Amino acid sequence: MTNQPLSSSNPRVDLEYRRKKNAEEMRHQVISFSIMIFLTFIAFAAVAAKGFTAWFIIPFILLLAVVQVIFQLFYFMHMSHEGHEAPSMFLFTGVFMAFVIVLTFMTIIWW
Amino acid sequence: MSTYAQKKGFGGTIWDYLTTVDHKKIAILYLMAGGLFFLVGGMEAVFIRIQLAVPNNDFVSAGTFNEIITMHGTTMIFLAAMPLLFAFMNAVMPLQIGARDVAFPFLNALGFWLFFFGGVFLNLSWFLGGAPDAGWTSYASLAVHSKGHGVDFYVLGLQISGLGTLIGGINFLATVITMRAPGMTYMRMPLFTWTTFVASAMILFAFPPLTVGLTLMMFDRLFGANFFEVAMGGNTIIWEHLFWVFGHPEVYILILPAFGIFSEIFSTFSRKRLFGYSSMVFATVLIGFLGFMVWAHHMFTTGLGPVANAIFAVATMAIGIPTGIKIFNWLFTMWGGSVKFTTPMYYAFGFIPSFVCGGVTGVMVATAAADYQYHDTYFVVAHFHYVIVGGVVLALLAGTHYWWPKMFGTMLNETLGKITFWLFFIGFHLTFFIQHFLGVWGMPRRVFTYLPGQGFDTSNMVSSIGAGFMSAGVIVLLLNVVITQVKNVKVGNDPWEDGRTLEWAISSPPPYYNFKQLPLVRGLDAYWIEKMEGKKAMTPAEPVGDIHMPNSSFIPFMITLGLFIAAFGALYHADDKSWALPVLIIGLLVTFGSMLVRSVKDDHGYHIHKEELMDEEKGAEA
Amino acid sequence: MKRLAKWRLVSLFAILALALSGCSGKPYLSALRPAGEVADIQFDLMKLSTYIMVGVIVVVMVIFVIVFFRFRRKKGDNGIPKQVEGNHLLEILWTVIPILLLLILAVPTVAATFKLADVKEMDKKNSDALVINVRSHLYWWDFEYPGQKIVTSQDLVVPTNEKVYFNLKSMDVKHSFWIPAVGGKLDTNTDNINKFWLVFDQKRANEAGNLFYGKCAELCGPSHALMDFKVKAMNRDDFDTWVKDMQAVKEPEKATSDLASQGQEIFNKSCIGCHAVTPQNKMPDTARVAPNLTNFGERSRIAGILDHNKEELKNWIKNPETYKPGNEMSGKYPEMTDQQLDALAEYLMGLKVQD
Amino acid sequence: MQAEEKFTYETWPASPERATLEAKNKFLGFWLFLGGETVLFASLFATYLALKDKVPDSTHALAKDIFDLPLTLVATMLLLTSSLTSVYAMYHMKNFAFKKMMVWLGVTVLLGFGFLGSEIYEFNHYVHEYHHTFTSSAFSSAFYTLVGFHGAHVTFGLAWIISLMIRNSKRGLNLYNAPKFYVASLYWHFIDVVWVFIFTVVYLMGMVG
Ligand code: HEA
Ligand code: HEA
Ligand code: CUA
Ligand SMILES: [Cu+2]
C-alpha cells in the first residue's frame, strides 16, 4: 500500500525519461486519433456510397467500430499499461456479457 | 477528532448511525433493516399460507392476495435476503482480509441508505393506494396494465434500492482487490471472502439489465413510452429477458455467500481446513460464470423454440456439477474431523439435505420438456423455497448465531438457538415438501384460492401448519436476541475457540479502526496457523503508526433522501398532479446538490495518532 | 439427540412411502396420471429425473449419516484432526459421475424438447390435421376451429387418439394454456402466436370421466386462480357429429317456452352485444369480447368454475364480481330483476346444439 | 502521504492517478463501474435492435427515413475530438502542467457542448419533421432512450468536469484532485466508446436499412 518511489537515485535522469515517455505516448495517441478519424470517415463513406449491399456494409462498419474502440481503450484509456489487470478483466467480462445479451435479443425475440 | 470512548446519549447514537461510514456499524444497520424486512416478508408469507389453508377461503381478497405474494417475493429477495447477506459481508469480509475498512466507506453508507429508502418507498405502497400486484417478476403485459400505482412503487423502489446494491457490489470488489493485508493472496482468502467477491462481481453485471428493464417499464407506465405496448410495435418478451438476465444471476448472488458462510462453519466446527479449498474456489467462480448463461430456463414455456430451450436446458444442468463439488467437499471437510454440534453447525448440518433436495429439483425443472409441466406450479415454488429457505435462510440464521459475538460482543443462547433450529427446520420441510406434489397434481402458483374437489385440500393445510412452526422458530430467535442483549455477557476474541480466520484474531466487537497493525498472513486460515504455533495473536506486518480514518458524513443520507422525494414526484406525475413535477425537481436538486457538496468539500479524513493507539492499549490492560 | 434423529429418519420414510403409494392426484387433473402422448413423454422424463435425483440424494445422505455418527466431537476432546488438503481421486470422481448422470438426463431431454415442438404438420398446405386457435382473455377462453369454421368457448371439445394442433395467442395480458393430465403448458403471448400439439388418449380419457381440467398458469390478475376451462374428449365420430351440430346452427336457436323467449328478448337487448349465440367465426378474434354461448346449455361449468345449474347461473348474472373479481362482464349491462333472471336462465340453459 | 502535500514538477509522481491508496481505490472502482456500464448500454442496444423499425402503422417514419449523415458526422467529429483533447489534458496532468491541463479540459467541455447542441437540434428536428416523438412508437421510444441515455451521460460528464475545474481553479494539482481529473477523463472516453457504437449501430446501420 505504499507509494511508488517518487524518484530513483538520480532524479533528473528519471524525470527526463518520464517526460520523454509521456511525450512518446502522446505521439501515439495523436496517431491513433488520426486513425480513428480515418476509420470514421471510411464507415460514413461506405454508407454514403450506396453501392454496397447491406451484407457487406454492416459487418464492415461493425468491424471498424470495434477497431476504433480498441484504440480508445488501449491508447486513450491506457488499458495496456500495468496496473490494469483487474480493470481489463472486469471490462472484458462486461463486454462478453454485452455480446451475449445482444446476441440473444437478436435471435430469440423474433417477431 | 477523537471519537472513541465517548459516552453518547440516545440522540447521539442515532446521529452516529445516520452518519457512520464504519463498515461494522453499517453491518449492524443492514442487519436491523434486513431483519425488519424479513419479518415483514415472513408475515406476508404467513398471510399467504392462512389464505391457502382451506379451499375457497376469503381471509384476503383476490386483489390483495396478488399484492401480498408480489410484496412477499420482492421483499424477501431484495430487502431481506440480500441486505442480510450484505450485513455479514460488511461485518466480516474486511476483517477476514485484514483490512482497516472497505475501499469506499462513504459509498458503503450511501449503498445502505439507498437500499433502505428504496425498501421503505416500496412498502409505503401499502398505505398509498395499493401494493404492486404483478408478481415479483412483474411480467410486462400484466404490469403495464395493472391499475393504480402499485407497479410504479415497484419500479421506482427497486430502482433506488438496486442502485444501492450495485454500489455495495463495486465497493466489495474494490475492497477485496486492493485492501488485502500483506500475505493475503487470493488463494489464501477465506471462502466467505471469495464468495463475497464472486457474488459482487455478479451484482456488477446483473443489476444493470434490471436497471434498464425497470427504466423501460417506468417510461412505459409514467411517461407514455411504448416498449411493451404491442399495438405500438412494442414487445413484452424484452421484459422477460431483461428481468431474467438479472433474475437468474440474482439467485446465485444469494446462494454463493450462503455457501461461503457454511464453508466457514463446516471447517471451524470440524477443526479441519476446508477439504479441496482450491476446487471450492474454482467451483464458486464457475457457478458465477455459468449463472449468466442460463437465464432463459425461466422462459421455457414462453415459446422460444426448441433450439433455445435445449441449449438453455443443458447449460442449466451443468451448474449441478460445480455445486455437487461443493456439497461433497463440505461432507469431506467433516469426514475425519472433530465435529462439534453448536447452533451454527446445526444449521449447516440441516442445510446439506435440504439444499440437495432443492438443487436436484432444480435440475428436474431444467429438463425443458418436463418443465412444461412444472413451470408456474407449486413444484417450482417448492424448488425455490428449498434452495432459498433451505440454503440462504438457513445460512443467514447460521451466520447470525456464528458471528453475533463478533458483531455485538456477546453470545446468543445456545439452547434457544437449537430450539429455533428445530422449529424452523421441521416447519420448513412440512411447508414445502408437500408442495412438490401439489404442483404436479395440477395446482398452479399465484392462485389466491382453489376449489374443493381437486385433491389439494389436505396438502395445503399441512403446508400452512408448517408455516406456523417456522413463525414459532422466528419468534424464539427474537426472544433469544432480546434476552442475550439484556444479559450482555461479554466474550473474548475467539468465543467459539475453534476460529480459523482473521476475524477471530481481533476483539469482539473489534475497535473502530480494526487492526491496530495490519496482520501478516502466512497461509490459509491465518489465525489458526498462529494458534497452532502456540501464539495468541497475529504477527503484525507493520510497526504501530498513525491510522488514517474516514470522516463520518450525513451526505449519503441526504443524497438518498433526495431520490426518495423525487420518486414521489415521478410517481404522481402520471396523475397530472400539479405539484408532482416540482417535487421531482426538488428531489433531484437535493440529490445532485448533495453530490456537489460532496465533490466540492474536501474530505481528507483524519488520523488516529500512534500515541492515542498506545494509550488505548494501556487503558485496556489496566 | 440420537433418538430425535432416528425419529426424523422414520418420518422421512413414512412420507416417502405415502408419496409412492398411489398419491398421484386426480386422473382428470394430475400430471402424474398422464392421459396422452405428450404427457407420457413428460411423465417419463419426470420419472427418469426422479430416479437419478433420488440416487444422488441417497449417496449424499449415506455420507451425511456416517459423518453424523462417526465424527462428532466427544466431550473434552481437544485433539486436532489431521488437516487434509483434498484428494484428487475423490474430487475427480464427484466431478465425473455427475457429468455422466446429467448426460443420461440431457439426451432424452433434448430429444423430447424437439419432438414436442414439431408442428410441421399443421403448417402444411391442405393438411387434414385438426387445428384449434386458442385465444385467452381476461379470465375466459375462446376456442376457434378454423377448418370447421366454428367458435366455442370455455369447454374445449377434442377428438381422441389423434394429434390436435393449437395456435395460442392472448388478446389482453399474458396467460398460459395448460391441461395437466394431457400435456405441459404453453404461454399465450400478446406478441405472437405459439404453436404446439397434444394427444388425448381415449382409454385414459374414459378413466378420467371424459372431462379434463384445464388451467391458466400465468398470473393474469385477480381472477387468475379462477380461469379454469374444461376439455371434453370424445372419439372421432362423436366429435364429427358435434361439429356438424354446431355448424347447423346458422342463426340463434329459437326459444321453446314462454319464459325462455322472454329471456331471449332480454338477452337480445342487453347481452348480445358481447355474447354471440351462433358458432360462425365471421368476426375476427379481436371482436369476440365475451364467451360464445351457442352451446351454453351443454357446458359443464358456468364461467369455468360454477356448477352448471340455473341457481348458479342466476347468481352469476346477478353479480359476476363476487365470483370472478375483476372480470370483464361486471357492470356492463343493466341490473336484472329476479323475474328477468329466471327468464334469462331458462333461455340460456336451453341453448343446446345436440339433442 | 499527505494528500494535500504541495508538489513541484520534480516531486510529482509518475502515476499521480494511482499514487495513494484512496486514488488506487477510486481508479479501480471506477473501472469496475465502467464494466457495469458496458452491460447497461448493451441492454439498451439490445432493446433498440429488437425494436428497431417496430412502428404501429406505415405512416410512421423508419430508421432509414429520418437519419441524416452529415449531422451525425459532425456530432461524431465533435465527440471524437473531445476525446483527444481530454487525452491532452491528462498528458499535461501527468507533467504537472496545471494551466495547460485546464485549457484542454476547457476545450473538451466546449466540444462536449457542441455535441449536446447538435443532439438537441437533431431530436427537435425529428419531432417536428417526422413526428417521431418519444411516445409515437416502440421504435421511437427505444431510439430516444438509447441515444438519450448517452446524451444524459454527456451532460453528467460535462457537469462533472466543469465542477472539478471550478473547484480546483485556484488550487493547482495535488494527489487529492489528480485522480479525480483522471477518473473524469476516463468517463469521458467511455462516453466516446459508447458513441462509436451508437453512430455505427443506430445511425449507419439504420441508414443501410
Ligand atoms: C438461491 C436460489 C436458487 C438456487 C441456488 C437455484 C438453483 C437452481 N435452480 Fe432455481 N430458482 C430459484 C432460485 C434458485 N435456484 C427461484 C427463486 C426460482 C423461481 C423464480 C420465479 O419464477 O419466481 C427458480 C426457478 C428455477 C427454474 C425455472 C422453473 C420454472 O419456472 O419453470 C429452473 C429451471 O431450470 C431452475 C433451475 C435451477 C438449477 C438447475 C439450480 C442449480 O443451481 C442447483 C444445483 C444443485 C444441485 C444439483 C444439488 C447438489 C449437487 C449434487 C449433490 C451433485 C450431483 C447432482 C446431480 C448429478 C444432478 N430454477
Ligand atoms: C428470500 C426469499 C424467500 C423466502 C425466505 C421465503 C419464505 C417463505 N415463503 Fe416465499 N416466495 C419467494 C421468496 C421467498 N419466500 C418468492 C420470490 C416467491 C414468488 C413470488 C411471486 O410469485 O411473485 C415466493 C412465493 C411464495 C409462495 C407462493 C405464493 C403463490 O404462488 O401464490 C408461498 C406459499 O406458500 C410462500 C411461502 C413462504 C413461506 C411460508 C416462507 C417462510 O419461510 C417464511 C418464514 C418466516 C417467518 C414465518 C417469519 C414470521 C415472522 C413473524 C411471525 C414475526 C412476528 C412478528 C413480530 C414479533 C413483529 N412463498
Ligand atoms: Cu389467465 Cu392466469
Ligand atoms: Cu434460474
Side-chain angles (χ1 to χ4, degrees):
Chain A
M1 308 292 128
T2 49
N3 299 313
Q4 293 165 336
L6 291 185
S7 47
S8 67
S9 49
N10 187 340
R12 287 255 55 112
V13 173
D14 197 45
L15 268 175
E16 199 49 37
Y17 168 72
R18 244 174 64 196
R19 212 170 49 102
K20 273 228 192 80
K21 215 181 85 192
N22 282 351
E24 169 87 1
E25 209 172 89
M26 196 58 230
R27 215 167 17 256
H28 282 304
Q29 280 160 349
V30 175
I31 295 171
S32 55
F33 175 74
S34 325
I35 297 176
M36 280 156 57
I37 294 286
F38 179 64
L39 295 179
T40 307
F41 272 117
I42 296 189
F44 274 80
V47 174
K50 296 229 172 6
F52 306 105
T53 74
W55 289 106
F56 167 72
I57 295 184
I58 289 176
F60 179 67
I61 59 180
L62 280 175
L63 183 73
L64 293 184
V66 170
V67 173
Q68 221 189 102
V69 163
I70 289 174
F71 275 112
Q72 280 272 1
L73 289 176
F74 285 94
Y75 286 95
F76 284 12
M77 297 167 86
H78 314 289
M79 226 166 63
S80 49
H81 289 196
E82 49 110 17
H84 285 70
E85 294 79 11
S88 45
M89 191 181 95
F90 280 89
L91 192 81
F92 284 121
T93 314
V95 169
F96 176 71
M97 280 297 298
F99 178 74
V100 173
I101 294 175
V102 172
L103 183 73
T104 44
F105 273 55
M106 296 192 65
T107 50
I108 51 180
I109 295 177
W110 58 107
W111 51 80
Chain B
M1 233 247 218
S2 107
T3 46
Y4 63 91
Q6 285 172 353
K7 279 256 181 299
K8 296 190 208 85
F10 180 69
T13 311
I14 298 275
W15 180 249
D16 190 27
Y17 274 92
L18 286 178
T19 59
T20 188
V21 295
D22 176 353
H23 71 97
K24 298 174 291 298
K25 285 188 180 149
I26 292 176
I28 292 174
L29 286 174
Y30 268 117
L31 190 71
M32 291 197 308
L36 185 75
F37 284 124
F38 178 75
L39 292 181
V40 173
M43 300 245 271
E44 283 154 359
V46 171
F47 292 158
I48 296 175
R49 284 317 326 165
I50 293 177
Q51 166 70 14
L52 293 177
V54 290
N56 271 335
N57 200 2
D58 61 355
F59 175 70
V60 294
S61 73
T64 312
F65 183 86
N66 288 355
E67 295 176 358
I68 293 176
I69 58 154
T70 304
M71 287 300 282
H72 163 68
T74 314
T75 303
M76 281 298 197
I77 301 258
F78 291 96
L79 309 179
M82 289 240 286
L84 287 170
L85 290 169
F86 269 34
F88 296 128
M89 292 178 183
N90 260 311
V92 177
M93 185 273 283
L95 298 175
Q96 283 195 331
I97 59 172
R100 290 260 155 70
D101 204 326
V102 290
F104 309 108
F106 178 89
L107 288 185
N108 203 10
L110 179 60
F112 169 77
W113 290 111
L114 284 169
F115 137 67
F116 183 66
F117 273 91
V120 169
F121 184 81
L122 184 56
N123 275 281
L124 281 178
S125 62
W126 285 117
F127 310 104
L128 297 172
D133 59 357
W136 85 287
T137 52
S138 206
Y139 271 17
S141 60
L142 180 61
V144 170
H145 290 101
S146 164
K147 301 210 172 53
H149 281 304
V151 176
D152 303 330
F153 276 103
Y154 171 96
V155 162
L156 292 162
L158 286 190
Q159 198 89 283
I160 295 174
S161 82
L163 199 62
T165 309
L166 184 64
I167 288 175
I170 292 179
N171 195 357
F172 290 136
L173 282 175
T175 305
V176 172
I177 294 174
T178 62
M179 308 286 280
R180 282 166 291 129
M184 178 60 82
T185 60
Y186 281 109
M187 289 312 275
R188 286 177 182 174
M189 292 195 313
L191 242 267
F192 181 64
T193 298
W194 256 112
T195 52
T196 299
F197 184 67
V198 175
S200 301
M202 296 185 77
I203 289 176
L204 177 62
F205 298 120
F207 270 70
L210 176 70
T211 307
V212 169
L214 291 172
T215 306
L216 303 189
M217 186 161 292
M218 175 177 81
F219 284 171
D220 262 22
R221 283 188 57 101
L222 299 176
F223 301 101
N226 296 304
F227 292 99
F228 310 123
E229 208 62 70
V230 176
M232 299 295 277
N235 186 313
T236 61
I237 311 301
I238 290 176
W239 168 268
E240 291 184 28
H241 277 297
L242 286 175
F243 185 85
W244 289 119
V245 168
F246 147 79
H248 185 80
E250 168 67 17
V251 304
Y252 294 106
I253 293 169
L254 294 178
I255 200 69
L256 286 179
F259 286 171
I261 293 173
F262 285 128
S263 299
E264 305 291 311
I265 290 173
F266 278 125
S267 79
T268 300
F269 294 110
S270 305
R271 281 195 183 152
K272 259 183 79 199
R273 71 172 263 156
L274 201 61
F275 191 90
Y277 170 83
S278 34
S279 68
M280 286 296 250
V281 171
F282 171 73
T284 306
V285 177
L286 192 63
I287 293 174
F289 178 78
L290 286 175
F292 279 102
M293 302 297 133
V294 300
W295 75 83
H297 66 214
H298 296 274
M299 298 163 64
F300 283 148
T301 65
T302 298
L304 301 180
V307 179
N309 279 1
I311 292 174
F312 279 102
V314 175
T316 302
M317 291 178 191
I319 297 191
I321 296 157
T323 316
I325 291 177
K326 282 180 164 274
I327 299 278
F328 290 112
N329 275 326
W330 286 319
L331 286 172
F332 278 78
T333 301
M334 291 185 285
W335 191 282
S338 164
V339 181
K340 185 176 177 190
F341 280 89
T342 57
T343 306
M345 198 60 181
Y346 268 54
Y347 283 105
F349 231 78
F351 154 77
I352 294 244
S354 311
F355 181 81
V356 170
C357 289
V360 295
T361 54
V363 177
M364 288 172 73
V365 287
T367 51
D371 183 61
Y372 303 161
Q373 287 285 17
Y374 302 126
H375 176 70
D376 261 333
T377 69
Y378 262 85
F379 192 90
V380 172
V381 175
H383 153 64
F384 71 75
H385 283 93
Y386 258 80
V387 276
I388 289 187
V389 180
V392 183
V393 176
L394 290 188
L396 290 171
L397 293 172
T400 305
H401 289 88
Y402 183 56
W403 281 312
W404 194 271
K406 190 47 64 184
M407 292 176 76
F408 296 98
T410 172
M411 286 275 250
L412 286 175
N413 180 297
E414 281 284 285
T415 314
L416 285 178
K418 287 170 186 170
I419 293 175
T420 307
F421 169 79
W422 282 115
L423 285 171
F424 197 85
F425 189 74
I426 292 171
F428 157 63
H429 283 281
L430 214 53
T431 306
F432 297 113
F433 186 75
I434 197 80
Q435 290 184 355
H436 294 107
F437 291 92
L438 279 173
V440 283
W441 290 342
M443 179 162 164
R445 60 189 281 208
R446 295 168 164 175
V447 290
F448 81 96
T449 192
Y450 47 93
L451 303 176
Q454 304 184 92
F456 303 155
D457 308 9
T458 323
S459 310
N460 269 305
M461 182 48 103
V462 171
S463 182
S464 297
I465 292 171
F469 275 84
M470 275 192 276
S471 310
V474 173
I475 288 168
V476 175
L477 175 66
L478 293 179
L479 272 178
N480 194 353
V481 168
V482 173
I483 293 172
T484 303
Q485 291 312 106
V486 171
K487 279 196 191 151
N488 203 8
V489 185
K490 288 292 166 199
V491 294
N493 291 4
D494 185 11
W496 298 109
E497 292 164 4
D498 291 325
R500 307 174 73 83
T501 42
L502 276 179
E503 76 265 32
W504 306 111
I506 196 170
S507 63
S508 311
Y512 61 100
Y513 47 81
N514 292 359
F515 298 90
K516 192 166 68 180
Q517 296 157 282
L518 293 184
L520 179 68
V521 175
R522 299 193 296 150
L524 180 64
D525 295 336
Y527 182 48
W528 175 261
I529 293 178
E530 306 298 327
K531 274 203 289 194
M532 284 301 102
E533 295 184 0
K535 297 197 192 116
K536 287 242 156 48
M538 298 299 298
T539 317
E542 57 175 17
V544 181
D546 292 357
I547 295 179
H548 181 222
M549 296 294 291
N551 285 328
S552 302
S553 171
F554 191 52
I555 295 177
F557 189 91
M558 289 303 290
I559 293 179
T560 312
L561 187 68
L563 281 182
F564 183 72
I565 295 170
F568 280 104
L571 189 113
Y572 287 107
H573 172 72
D575 293 351
D576 288 327
K577 291 251 182 354
S578 59
W579 49 266
L581 201 61
V583 167
L584 175 63
I585 293 170
I586 291 172
L588 289 178
L589 281 181
V590 172
T591 296
F592 285 108
S594 309
M595 284 164 74
L596 196 69
V597 171
R598 167 70 182 173
S599 64
V600 170
K601 223 181 82 194
D602 285 2
D603 183 357
H604 295 299
Y606 64 99
H607 284 82
I608 314 171
H609 294 290
K610 201 162 137 181
E611 297 73 31
E612 274 177 84
L613 288 170
M614 301 293 216
D615 287 352
E616 201 169 346
E617 190 169 27
K618 288 215 194 74
E621 272 165 23
Chain C
M1 271 306 111
K2 228 177 196 163
R3 209 186 300 141
L4 219 58
K6 214 182 260 161
W7 175 83
R8 253 174 68 208
L9 222 65
V10 169
S11 64
L12 202 78
F13 278 118
I15 293 174
L16 217 68
L18 205 70
L20 293 176
S21 66
C23 245
S24 47
K26 305 282 183 217
Y28 46 82
L29 180 59
S30 170
L32 302 183
R33 308 281 290 269
E37 188 181 345
V38 173
D40 282 336
I41 294 173
Q42 286 161 338
F43 188 53
D44 288 343
L45 263 180
M46 290 159 84
K47 279 190 292 191
L48 173 66
S49 57
T50 307
Y51 296 146
I52 296 177
M53 297 317 152
V54 169
V56 168
I57 292 175
V58 167
V59 172
V60 171
M61 285 313 286
V62 167
I63 306 174
F64 181 87
V65 171
I66 295 176
V67 167
F68 185 79
F69 287 110
R70 257 185 66 189
F71 299 106
R72 40 176 59 244
R73 191 181 304 173
K74 312 280 173 315
K75 266 233 152 51
D77 174 4
N78 270 326
I80 302 299
K82 195 159 150 249
Q83 304 290 306
V84 190
E85 272 195 35
N87 179 319
H88 281 298
L89 180 69
L90 280 174
E91 290 180 42
I92 289 171
L93 219 59
W94 63 57
T95 311
V96 172
I97 294 179
I99 292 182
L100 294 179
L101 289 176
L102 289 177
L103 278 179
I104 295 176
L105 185 60
V107 173
T109 299
V110 172
T113 304
F114 277 91
K115 180 157 190 204
L116 298 185
D118 178 10
V119 290
K120 280 197 288 294
E121 186 62 30
M122 72 191 285
D123 295 331
K124 273 196 201 132
K125 281 232 163 65
N126 315 326
S127 100
D128 50 1
L130 176 64
V131 175
I132 301 175
N133 295 341
V134 176
R135 297 292 175 263
S136 57
H137 296 253
L138 280 168
Y139 321 130
W140 64 279
W141 298 86
D142 188 44
F143 304 113
E144 174 184 8
Y145 298 70
Q148 289 66 24
K149 302 212 181 323
I150 52 178
V151 176
T152 183
S153 338
Q154 305 292 43
D155 281 10
L156 174 67
V157 180
V158 289
T160 48
N161 292 344
E162 67 181 89
K163 279 192 180 178
V164 181
Y165 292 88
F166 293 89
N167 283 314
L168 308 171
K169 188 167 184 348
S170 173
M171 307 314 293
D172 32 53
V173 304
K174 181 174 171 125
H175 307 267
S176 192
F177 178 78
W178 186 34
I179 310 166
V182 182
K185 62 193 69 64
L186 190 59
D187 294 353
T188 60
N189 292 326
T190 52
D191 314 82
N192 69 316
I193 290 183
N194 271 338
K195 300 172 177 193
F196 78 152
W197 58 273
L198 293 171
V199 173
F200 302 79
D201 186 81
Q202 177 67 58
K203 214 174 104 234
R204 287 176 286 177
N206 288 343
E207 283 160 27
N210 291 318
L211 193 71
F212 293 108
Y213 283 27
K215 303 241 165 209
C216 173
E218 180 69 52
L219 180 62
C220 51
S223 283
H224 157 64
L226 305 172
M227 196 169 153
D228 289 1
F229 61 98
K230 300 289 176 293
V231 186
K232 286 184 178 147
M234 51 187 70
N235 64 40
R236 186 73 205 192
D237 292 342
D238 291 349
F239 178 74
D240 287 337
T241 319
W242 176 77
V243 169
K244 281 219 188 63
D245 289 341
M246 283 293 273
Q247 285 168 335
V249 184
K250 296 290 186 219
E251 51 197 57
E253 203 102 325
K254 282 272 171 333
T256 45
S257 69
D258 274 0
L259 193 57
S261 18
Q262 219 181 335
Q264 184 165 22
E265 228 162 88
I266 304 170
F267 187 88
N268 287 345
K269 213 160 69 212
S270 309
C271 321
I272 207 151
C274 300
H275 289 283
V277 278
T278 50
Q280 276 79 19
N281 61 341
K282 294 209 188 77
M283 286 190 288
D285 54 5
T286 44
R288 303 200 291 265
V289 296
N292 186 306
L293 299 178
T294 307
N295 58 346
F296 179 78
E298 287 153 356
R299 298 263 160 91
S300 54
R301 293 287 192 285
I302 297 167
I305 47 167
L306 300 174
D307 283 341
H308 196 257
N309 58 44
K310 283 192 186 147
E311 225 26 65
E312 291 285 29
L313 179 56
K314 285 189 279 186
N315 287 339
W316 166 258
I317 301 171
K318 202 162 169 185
N319 195 354
E321 198 62 19
T322 45
Y323 301 97
K324 274 195 174 177
N327 76 76
E328 299 286 321
M329 166 157 150
S330 303
K332 304 277 173 59
Y333 53 92
E335 220 164 287
M336 302 286 159
T337 64
D338 284 347
Q339 204 278 327
Q340 288 171 310
L341 287 174
D342 284 336
L344 274 172
E346 181 69 22
Y347 167 62
L348 288 173
M349 280 301 182
L351 289 176
K352 297 185 177 170
V353 297
Q354 296 187 299
D355 352 53
Chain D
M1 167 82 48
Q2 290 295 91
E4 278 164 299
E5 194 177 314
K6 288 274 176 284
F7 285 89
T8 65
Y9 177 58
E10 279 74 24
T11 57
W12 188 237
S15 293
E17 74 276 9
R18 280 180 286 157
T20 63
L21 176 60
E22 282 75 20
K24 255 193 210 128
N25 284 338
K26 177 170 279 167
F27 170 82
L28 175 71
F30 196 78
W31 268 104
L32 297 175
F33 170 72
L34 291 184
E37 286 260 281
T38 308
V39 183
L40 183 101
F41 274 104
S43 309
L44 288 169
F45 270 105
T47 306
Y48 171 80
L49 286 169
L51 293 178
K52 184 183 166 211
D53 288 347
K54 295 288 192 304
V55 292
D57 55 59
S58 54
T59 62
H60 267 80
L62 301 181
K64 64 178 181 338
D65 306 324
I66 58 174
F67 297 143
D68 175 33
L69 267 187
L71 185 63
T72 312
L73 187 64
V74 170
T76 305
M77 285 306 142
L78 286 172
L79 205 59
L80 275 183
T81 313
S82 79
S83 208
L84 180 75
T85 57
S86 84
V87 168
Y88 270 119
M90 287 309 106
Y91 169 69
H92 293 302
M93 188 273 279
K94 291 204 176 186
N95 284 342
F96 201 65
F98 179 68
K99 281 269 158 50
K100 288 185 186 158
M101 177 189 82
M102 293 294 266
V103 170
W104 283 112
L105 282 179
V107 177
T108 307
V109 167
L110 286 182
L111 289 166
F113 274 114
F115 173 84
L116 262 190
S118 84
E119 190 153 275
I120 291 169
Y121 165 79
E122 180 199 348
F123 283 7
N124 194 39
H125 179 68
Y126 294 157
V127 169
H128 289 107
E129 204 65 22
Y130 302 104
H131 301 292
H132 182 73
T133 67
F134 184 61
T135 57
S136 65
S137 68
F139 167 53
S140 67
S141 297
F143 168 79
Y144 285 113
T145 302
L146 171 58
V147 182
F149 243 73
H150 176 264
H153 274 69
V154 175
T155 313
F156 186 81
L158 287 174
W160 185 5
I161 297 179
I162 292 172
S163 61
L164 273 180
M165 288 173 68
I166 295 175
R167 172 64 185 98
N168 294 297
S169 59
K170 301 239 162 50
R171 285 213 292 195
L173 280 166
N174 58 34
L175 288 185
Y176 182 71
N177 60 24
K180 295 192 174 199
F181 282 115
Y182 187 84
V183 165
S185 94
L186 275 184
Y187 186 73
W188 196 255
H189 290 307
F190 184 77
I191 291 173
D192 205 26
V193 167
V194 173
W195 180 255
V196 169
F197 281 108
I198 292 189
F199 87 68
T200 306
V201 172
V202 177
Y203 291 94
L204 294 185
M205 274 165 61
M207 271 178 276
V208 172

